[in-house]
Amino acid sequence: MTTTLQAPPLGPLLDDIVLRHRPERESGSIPGNIPLLAAVPFDRFGIAVATTSGEVFSAGDAAVPFSIQSISKVFTLAMALRGDSTGSLWSRVLREPSGTPFNSLVQLEVEHGIPRNPFINAGALVVTDHLMDKAPDAAARLLQFLTAQASSSGPAIDEAAAAGELANSSRNLALAHFLKNFGNLHHSAEAVVENYVRQCSIMMTCADLAKAGLFLARAGQGTLGPVLSPSDAKRVGSIMLTCGMYDAAGEFAYRVGLPGKSGVGGGILVIVPGECAICVWSPRLDAKGNSLAGTAALADLSDRTGWSVF
Amino acid sequence: MTTTLQAPPLGPLLDDIVLRHRPERESGSIPGNIPLLAAVPFDRFGIAVATTSGEVFSAGDAAVPFSIQSISKVFTLAMALRGDSTGSLWSRVLREPSGTPFNSLVQLEVEHGIPRNPFINAGALVVTDHLMDKAPDAAARLLQFLTAQASSSGPAIDEAAAAGELANSSRNLALAHFLKNFGNLHHSAEAVVENYVRQCSIMMTCADLAKAGLFLARAGQGTLGPVLSPSDAKRVGSIMLTCGMYDAAGEFAYRVGLPGKSGVGGGILVIVPGECAICVWSPRLDAKGNSLAGTAALADLSDRTGWSVF
Amino acid sequence: MTTTLQAPPLGPLLDDIVLRHRPERESGSIPGNIPLLAAVPFDRFGIAVATTSGEVFSAGDAAVPFSIQSISKVFTLAMALRGDSTGSLWSRVLREPSGTPFNSLVQLEVEHGIPRNPFINAGALVVTDHLMDKAPDAAARLLQFLTAQASSSGPAIDEAAAAGELANSSRNLALAHFLKNFGNLHHSAEAVVENYVRQCSIMMTCADLAKAGLFLARAGQGTLGPVLSPSDAKRVGSIMLTCGMYDAAGEFAYRVGLPGKSGVGGGILVIVPGECAICVWSPRLDAKGNSLAGTAALADLSDRTGWSVF
Amino acid sequence: MTTTLQAPPLGPLLDDIVLRHRPERESGSIPGNIPLLAAVPFDRFGIAVATTSGEVFSAGDAAVPFSIQSISKVFTLAMALRGDSTGSLWSRVLREPSGTPFNSLVQLEVEHGIPRNPFINAGALVVTDHLMDKAPDAAARLLQFLTAQASSSGPAIDEAAAAGELANSSRNLALAHFLKNFGNLHHSAEAVVENYVRQCSIMMTCADLAKAGLFLARAGQGTLGPVLSPSDAKRVGSIMLTCGMYDAAGEFAYRVGLPGKSGVGGGILVIVPGECAICVWSPRLDAKGNSLAGTAALADLSDRTGWSVF
């Protein structure tokens, strides 16, 4: 149940969230193998809320672009579902949580190359491969989509960062070749990983990400018309809730109680169905790879607004 | 977002659900190692809805008692949280989905005997052990709780069924001894498993289960007063959504979009926050161990009422 | 190839081995959950060689009884094979190495309760269960066998130690119930574990163990007549070489090059086919659970005598 | 113990082995993803024995070249050890059996990219990478080595077969990228896999393979001088015995009792320490990927000659 308590107006509330949660000293970790991400100052903190009534509230570094990383997976999934009238995607990827990280490899083996869900890397590679069937440059298509939904020319692929990340993509290449081995990749492993890395290297602000994600809070209705059917929009939300926070989806559902998707760039996109889309960003990560300050801020915001699906 | 569409009134709607979903011929499977459950006729189908406004609607075999099995885990978790002001339970069990079934054993080993969540058997054994710290006969306490919440003298432990199930409890005994080996069981493995099996062997009707689960739709407010704090009630809901349907939690969230907990007796308890608690029952199971007709009925009901947390 | 180099005569050689390898200060670890074993002084070191020509050489603490623990598995396997003309044992347990320790649980699950080999605990429990089909007190039968083969009244079950170990047998009880769950145990889990623990609690000296194991170096020919056929004797040797040293079988084959079986009591029984049986004992263990000084002594002895099967 | 029984002279014995074991009708399986191997007629069967006294006996199709596949791993390991005076190879690969096939991936993950042994594919890729440190074209160097040891110009890389196999190398590429991800590969994943595949695509006859492997039966002494120290030769034998037959090493040790290494081309190289090297070849495989007729022939030969290390 989503109820709006007698919370303070959103503008001042977000300012207060920034005051309370912007890191004052360095803590948390930086992403292991993406050098450019490590260079972002630890005290960056931004938050933006785009409401279904058309307003956008923001505070802190909400206008500073950051690397969206795995948040891209929400949008590529939506794009794949939009064009997938026959449901063929769901024969190539499941919709179940994956348990502990190393299980995903055993799972791929035991379940013959069908990833557990579209938000683990193996699953996102399959989604990317699916998109490439229609447009080989899936990353460019994602950029167009984000630009349109955010009504902003801000989003851009950081090609230098993408090149750097591609040079450190051994694990994703391993997954892609493993999927190929099971016949669950149509395009070359190298091409799929390159597209995937470029999707992850899109730079966006909190404000633009909240606007771009708003269709998920609006039953699939996007900026320029329908993006997804109401039921597909709900379903993306359910996958975010059960699988969106790496190995901490349960903990996030428990503390925040809202569908969310994080990225190792420090961003988290959260949906309050019928109400708003929220994007928070702070670059340092907890042990599970989710934004440390961002997660705490969302738990606080959820408590103070009563926003929760439960 | 939970919205009540222009659905038909609940009474006729439930009648129609029974008409459409009561199995006409045998399909699905029967629980492998619990002989008594296999004896239940395949065409049993009941449904009941208890609303937060105090009404109870029901249809079909909603007054026929069945074995609640793992639905008991929702209630034992609530009882454990109620008495756990220090949060000590959460140092003994996690809140994350467990992935594929056999991962749970690897997970227990790699994570040193801390079960992934309270709804897999290993986790429920820990919860039972936790309850036994206060009352050795935890099953009797659970029965009292259910009787009180349902305002009904109907719930009863089927001791003969429990004895039969106990004689086929090798797997649960293995889990309990394994937990004991890691120091995560205070009582004897045998006593904990016996209590656990007796909890599972409680017989209840759909109507009583819906009434007993209503506190979860009412922010923790039970029949006789508060059962849980609003935040703990939300949190039980989040664990139901992410972990409540064995290895099909993601699929259920995707199709039904509501927190639920199933049992191999064929029952499913579902919460619509702020609205109602639903219990459906039909004894034959799908490949993941959830009621085949029950799951289909809930997806249908969710579509027709618009009930969904997403 | 087993070649006797121009080694010094065995008596002085063993004295020198004791001089070089008896620990002067405490190092290595003590068995985690068997209190009595921890009480053995760290500087105990004994070695004995029983030759196929009938001589027995020994040095150091070769006359001090110690707990044979898993060395018992060689003898129970031999006893099971002796009475198993139909080969039924091999339908219940495999003969393959098990890889890393936690794999054994996954393996049991994936391979439906058939243990990888008779020397991991799960496999030894099946062997014990197999022996109990003929004689419920399998531990007493093992004691008779050892007494006869060693021509010694020394071997004895330390019933107090067995009782202490039984009280800490959660892991073995978990394995036994798990095997029971798969239908791969005829007797009760509790009875099998009790028998198994009593087998492990037999106290013997290095000299007696070397004599008792001599039939494996003599193509199956025991003290009082044939124990095994020549081919079965070879086969027990092959299982010792591939599976006899827990997760260090490969390392032991690499360094020592002889079939061996260790126990957490610090003993190691080694076979030089056609030549002799060796037993070394020193109580402190390496990270894999094998005697630290004992393994080093055997590597040294193998280098100086040329004894190796490769 | 290796004893030569009163066996018939080797020449007639091998002729009889061919008579008994050459397949008369098709059975067993063909390698899944290597099309060229599937084209070899099912009734090919060859055997050759090269003795330490310098004789070579052969029968059947012993002069027909076949694809050595994973038998190459014995020789690349020997080459790597020969040049590895500091033992650096053993910091990059272990020497333990790997258990069930899918464990190898979990193992790589849990043990941080250190393969279990040099004979699983992950381990062989590390060995190849190690060789490439000295000579980028490691496959050409292996060919030189085999040519020299066999004193034959017969061995040749089948470059067309290699190209075909490379086009189906997704799984090996996945492993190589995974190793790279853990920092356990110096060269590019693509280059290492290409070299590896070309090593596997070497065509040789039974007679040449037996001659090439003779140094392992002769304490490291090769055709043109020492290849390995006696202790390293023994150690390669120990790794063959514990890890040489995929997931059937224990079964092979049990039935044949000799160090062996198989390839999916249907060849098996076996060492009788101090006596001879044996190569048998027949293309159809058992469920574990070892030559069906070849394994049976070796078990028969071992029984009739008494050759066994146990």
Side-chain angles (χ1 to χ4, degrees):
Chain A
M1 181 178 50
T2 62
T3 53
T4 305
L5 305 182
Q6 301 94 315
L10 264 176
L13 178 55
L14 297 188
D15 288 337
D16 190 59
I17 292 281
V18 173
L19 270 178
R20 292 195 192 193
H21 294 284
R22 184 193 291 276
E24 292 183 3
R25 56 184 145 257
E26 185 136 21
S27 67
S29 61
I30 51 178
N33 51 357
I34 310 183
L36 281 182
L37 295 183
V40 180
F42 72 87
D43 60 356
R44 290 291 181 274
F45 184 97
I47 187 164
V49 175
T51 71
T52 52
S53 56
E55 292 174 292
V56 178
F57 300 89
S58 65
D61 300 314
V64 178
F66 64 90
S67 183
I68 67 171
Q69 294 294 322
S70 291
I71 300 175
S72 61
K73 291 168 182 165
V74 174
F75 298 102
T76 51
L77 173 62
M79 291 171 68
L81 289 178
R82 181 162 59 158
D84 185 43
S85 55
T86 61
S88 66
L89 180 67
W90 297 126
S91 64
R92 299 177 60 191
V93 59
L94 304 174
R95 288 162 290 197
E96 294 300 328
S98 67
T100 56
F102 74 78
N103 284 345
S104 61
L105 267 170
V106 193
Q107 180 268 329
L108 265 190
E109 179 89 36
V110 173
E111 296 182 6
H112 305 295
I114 308 297
R116 279 250 122 190
N117 65 66
F119 290 168
I120 57 172
N121 283 14
L125 291 169
V126 168
V127 170
T128 296
D129 185 68
H130 184 91
L131 291 176
M132 290 170 68
D133 286 350
K134 296 207 174 142
D137 191 343
R141 290 289 288 271
L142 171 61
L143 185 65
Q144 285 172 16
F145 178 87
L146 292 169
T147 300
Q149 293 302 320
S151 302
S152 162
S153 62
I157 299 177
D158 183 339
E159 297 284 2
E165 205 168 324
L166 194 57
N168 284 293
S169 287
S170 298
R171 194 178 188 91
N172 284 325
L173 282 164
L175 288 171
H177 282 290
F178 202 51
L179 291 165
K180 189 90 182 169
N181 179 51
F182 281 109
N184 199 7
L185 218 58
H186 303 157
H187 303 273
S188 83
E190 290 78 10
V192 173
V193 170
E194 192 200 351
N195 248 294
Y196 170 77
V197 166
R198 289 174 65 236
Q199 293 163 6
C200 290
S201 299
I202 289 177
M203 302 293 289
M204 284 179 80
T205 64
C206 286
D208 282 353
L209 265 171
K211 285 187 285 176
L214 192 53
F215 70 95
L216 290 169
R218 228 160 32 189
Q221 193 66 22
T223 306
L224 308 172
V227 172
L228 293 179
S229 69
S231 68
D232 270 342
K234 286 183 181 190
R235 284 161 177 179
V236 172
S238 80
I239 299 173
M240 292 174 76
L241 195 88
T242 51
C243 318
M245 304 294 288
Y246 305 111
D247 190 29
E251 189 68 23
F252 190 81
Y254 185 87
R255 287 182 65 194
V256 177
L258 292 166
K261 181 73 204 84
S262 61
V264 292
I268 306 175
L269 176 67
V270 163
I271 305 303
V272 188
E275 297 277 341
C276 60
I278 307 170
C279 182
V280 65
W281 168 58
S282 186
R284 294 303 181 264
L285 308 178
D286 64 21
K288 300 292 178 69
N290 300 309
S291 174
L292 194 59
T295 303
L298 289 168
D300 189 6
L301 186 63
S302 166
D303 284 348
R304 290 160 80 179
T305 56
W307 286 337
S308 164
V309 301
F310 298 109
Chain B
M1 184 177 49
T2 61
T3 54
T4 305
L5 304 182
Q6 302 93 314
L10 264 177
L13 178 55
L14 296 189
D15 288 337
D16 190 58
I17 290 282
V18 173
L19 270 178
R20 292 195 190 193
H21 294 284
R22 185 194 290 276
E24 292 182 1
R25 56 185 144 258
E26 185 137 21
S27 67
S29 60
I30 51 177
N33 51 355
I34 310 182
L36 282 181
L37 296 183
V40 180
F42 72 87
D43 61 355
R44 290 290 182 273
F45 184 97
I47 187 164
V49 175
T51 71
T52 52
S53 56
E55 291 175 293
V56 178
F57 300 88
S58 64
D61 299 314
V64 178
F66 64 90
S67 182
I68 67 171
Q69 294 294 321
S70 291
I71 300 176
S72 61
K73 291 169 183 165
V74 174
F75 298 103
T76 51
L77 173 62
M79 290 171 69
L81 289 178
R82 182 162 58 158
D84 186 43
S85 55
T86 61
S88 66
L89 181 67
W90 298 125
S91 64
R92 299 178 60 191
V93 60
L94 303 174
R95 288 163 290 197
E96 294 300 327
S98 68
T100 55
F102 74 78
N103 285 343
S104 61
L105 267 171
V106 193
Q107 180 268 327
L108 265 191
E109 178 89 38
V110 172
E111 296 181 5
H112 306 295
I114 308 296
R116 278 252 120 189
N117 66 64
F119 291 167
I120 57 173
N121 284 14
L125 291 169
V126 168
V127 170
T128 296
D129 184 67
H130 183 92
L131 291 176
M132 290 170 70
D133 287 350
K134 297 207 175 140
D137 191 344
R141 289 289 290 271
L142 172 61
L143 185 65
Q144 285 173 16
F145 178 86
L146 292 168
T147 300
Q149 293 302 320
S151 303
S152 161
S153 61
I157 299 176
D158 183 337
E159 299 283 1
E165 206 169 323
L166 193 58
N168 284 294
S169 287
S170 298
R171 195 180 188 89
N172 284 326
L173 282 164
L175 287 171
H177 283 290
F178 202 49
L179 291 165
K180 189 92 183 168
N181 179 49
F182 281 108
N184 200 6
L185 219 58
H186 302 156
H187 304 272
S188 82
E190 289 78 9
V192 173
V193 170
E194 191 200 353
N195 248 294
Y196 169 78
V197 166
R198 289 173 66 236
Q199 291 161 8
C200 291
S201 298
I202 289 176
M203 302 294 287
M204 283 179 80
T205 65
C206 286
D208 281 353
L209 264 171
K211 286 187 283 175
L214 192 53
F215 71 95
L216 290 169
R218 229 162 28 190
Q221 193 64 23
T223 306
L224 308 172
V227 171
L228 293 179
S229 69
S231 67
D232 270 342
K234 285 183 180 190
R235 285 160 178 181
V236 172
S238 80
I239 299 174
M240 292 173 78
L241 195 88
T242 52
C243 318
M245 304 295 288
Y246 305 112
D247 191 28
E251 190 67 22
F252 190 82
Y254 184 88
R255 287 182 65 193
V256 177
L258 292 167
K261 182 72 205 84
S262 61
V264 292
I268 307 176
L269 175 67
V270 163
I271 305 302
V272 188
E275 298 277 340
C276 60
I278 308 168
C279 182
V280 65
W281 169 58
S282 187
R284 293 303 181 265
L285 307 179
D286 63 22
K288 301 293 178 67
N290 300 309
S291 173
L292 193 60
T295 303
L298 289 168
D300 189 5
L301 185 64
S302 165
D303 284 347
R304 290 160 80 178
T305 55
W307 288 335
S308 164
V309 301
F310 298 109
Chain C
M1 176 178 51
T2 60
T3 52
T4 305
L5 305 181
Q6 302 92 314
L10 263 177
L13 178 55
L14 296 189
D15 288 337
D16 190 57
I17 291 282
V18 173
L19 269 178
R20 291 195 191 195
H21 294 283
R22 184 195 291 275
E24 292 183 2
R25 58 185 143 256
E26 186 136 20
S27 67
S29 61
I30 52 178
N33 52 357
I34 310 181
L36 282 181
L37 295 183
V40 180
F42 73 86
D43 61 354
R44 289 291 181 274
F45 184 98
I47 188 165
V49 176
T51 72
T52 51
S53 57
E55 292 175 292
V56 178
F57 301 87
S58 65
D61 300 314
V64 178
F66 63 91
S67 181
I68 67 171
Q69 295 293 322
S70 290
I71 300 176
S72 61
K73 291 168 181 165
V74 174
F75 298 102
T76 50
L77 173 62
M79 290 169 70
L81 289 177
R82 181 162 58 158
D84 186 44
S85 55
T86 62
S88 66
L89 180 67
W90 297 125
S91 65
R92 299 178 60 192
V93 60
L94 304 174
R95 287 162 292 197
E96 294 300 328
S98 67
T100 55
F102 74 79
N103 284 343
S104 60
L105 268 170
V106 193
Q107 180 268 328
L108 265 189
E109 179 89 38
V110 173
E111 295 181 6
H112 307 294
I114 309 296
R116 278 252 121 187
N117 66 64
F119 290 167
I120 58 174
N121 284 14
L125 291 169
V126 169
V127 170
T128 296
D129 185 68
H130 184 93
L131 291 176
M132 289 169 70
D133 286 350
K134 296 206 174 140
D137 192 344
R141 289 289 289 271
L142 172 61
L143 185 65
Q144 286 172 15
F145 177 88
L146 292 169
T147 300
Q149 292 302 319
S151 303
S152 162
S153 60
I157 298 177
D158 183 339
E159 298 284 1
E165 206 168 323
L166 194 57
N168 284 292
S169 286
S170 297
R171 195 178 187 91
N172 285 326
L173 282 164
L175 288 171
H177 283 290
F178 202 51
L179 291 165
K180 189 90 182 171
N181 179 50
F182 282 108
N184 200 5
L185 218 57
H186 303 156
H187 304 272
S188 83
E190 290 78 9
V192 173
V193 170
E194 192 200 351
N195 247 294
Y196 170 77
V197 166
R198 290 173 66 234
Q199 291 162 7
C200 289
S201 299
I202 288 176
M203 302 293 288
M204 284 179 78
T205 66
C206 285
D208 281 353
L209 264 171
K211 286 187 284 175
L214 192 53
F215 70 94
L216 290 169
R218 228 161 32 188
Q221 192 66 22
T223 306
L224 308 171
V227 171
L228 292 177
S229 69
S231 69
D232 270 342
K234 284 183 180 190
R235 285 160 177 181
V236 172
S238 79
I239 298 173
M240 293 174 77
L241 195 86
T242 53
C243 318
M245 304 295 287
Y246 305 112
D247 191 28
E251 190 67 24
F252 191 82
Y254 185 88
R255 287 182 66 192
V256 176
L258 292 167
K261 182 74 204 83
S262 61
V264 291
I268 306 175
L269 176 67
V270 163
I271 304 303
V272 187
E275 298 276 341
C276 59
I278 309 171
C279 182
V280 65
W281 169 57
S282 185
R284 293 303 181 265
L285 308 178
D286 63 22
K288 302 292 178 69
N290 300 309
S291 174
L292 193 60
T295 304
L298 288 167
D300 188 8
L301 185 65
S302 166
D303 285 347
R304 290 159 82 177
T305 56
W307 286 337
S308 164
V309 301
F310 298 109
Chain D
M1 179 179 52
T2 61
T3 52
T4 305
L5 306 180
Q6 302 93 315
L10 263 176
L13 177 55
L14 296 189
D15 288 337
D16 190 58
I17 291 282
V18 172
L19 270 178
R20 292 195 190 194
H21 293 283
R22 184 194 290 275
E24 291 184 2
R25 59 186 141 257
E26 186 135 22
S27 67
S29 61
I30 52 178
N33 52 358
I34 309 182
L36 282 181
L37 295 183
V40 180
F42 73 86
D43 62 354
R44 290 291 181 273
F45 185 98
I47 188 165
V49 176
T51 71
T52 51
S53 56
E55 291 173 293
V56 177
F57 301 88
S58 65
D61 300 313
V64 178
F66 64 90
S67 182
I68 67 172
Q69 294 294 322
S70 291
I71 300 176
S72 61
K73 291 169 182 165
V74 174
F75 297 103
T76 51
L77 173 61
M79 289 170 69
L81 289 178
R82 181 163 58 159
D84 186 43
S85 55
T86 61
S88 66
L89 180 67
W90 298 125
S91 64
R92 298 178 61 191
V93 59
L94 303 174
R95 288 162 290 199
E96 294 299 328
S98 67
T100 56
F102 75 78
N103 285 344
S104 61
L105 268 170
V106 193
Q107 180 269 326
L108 264 190
E109 179 89 36
V110 173
E111 296 181 5
H112 306 294
I114 309 296
R116 278 253 121 188
N117 66 64
F119 291 166
I120 58 174
N121 284 14
L125 292 169
V126 168
V127 170
T128 297
D129 184 69
H130 184 92
L131 291 175
M132 289 170 69
D133 287 349
K134 296 207 175 141
D137 192 343
R141 290 289 289 271
L142 171 61
L143 186 65
Q144 285 173 15
F145 177 87
L146 292 168
T147 301
Q149 293 302 320
S151 304
S152 162
S153 61
I157 298 175
D158 183 337
E159 298 284 1
E165 206 169 322
L166 193 57
N168 285 293
S169 286
S170 297
R171 195 179 187 90
N172 284 326
L173 282 164
L175 288 171
H177 282 290
F178 202 50
L179 291 166
K180 189 89 181 171
N181 179 51
F182 282 108
N184 200 5
L185 218 58
H186 302 157
H187 304 273
S188 83
E190 290 78 9
V192 173
V193 170
E194 193 201 350
N195 246 294
Y196 170 77
V197 166
R198 291 173 64 236
Q199 291 161 7
C200 289
S201 299
I202 289 176
M203 302 292 290
M204 285 180 77
T205 65
C206 286
D208 281 353
L209 264 171
K211 285 187 285 176
L214 192 53
F215 70 95
L216 289 170
R218 227 161 32 188
Q221 192 65 22
T223 307
L224 308 171
V227 171
L228 292 178
S229 68
S231 67
D232 270 342
K234 285 183 179 188
R235 285 160 177 182
V236 172
S238 80
I239 299 172
M240 294 174 76
L241 195 88
T242 52
C243 318
M245 304 297 287
Y246 306 112
D247 191 29
E251 191 67 24
F252 191 82
Y254 184 88
R255 286 182 65 195
V256 177
L258 293 167
K261 181 74 204 82
S262 61
V264 291
I268 306 175
L269 176 66
V270 163
I271 304 303
V272 188
E275 298 276 339
C276 60
I278 308 169
C279 182
V280 66
W281 169 58
S282 187
R284 293 303 180 264
L285 308 179
D286 63 23
K288 302 291 179 70
N290 300 309
S291 174
L292 194 60
T295 303
L298 288 168
D300 189 6
L301 185 64
S302 166
D303 285 348
R304 290 159 81 180
T305 56
W307 287 336
S308 164
V309 301
F310 298 108

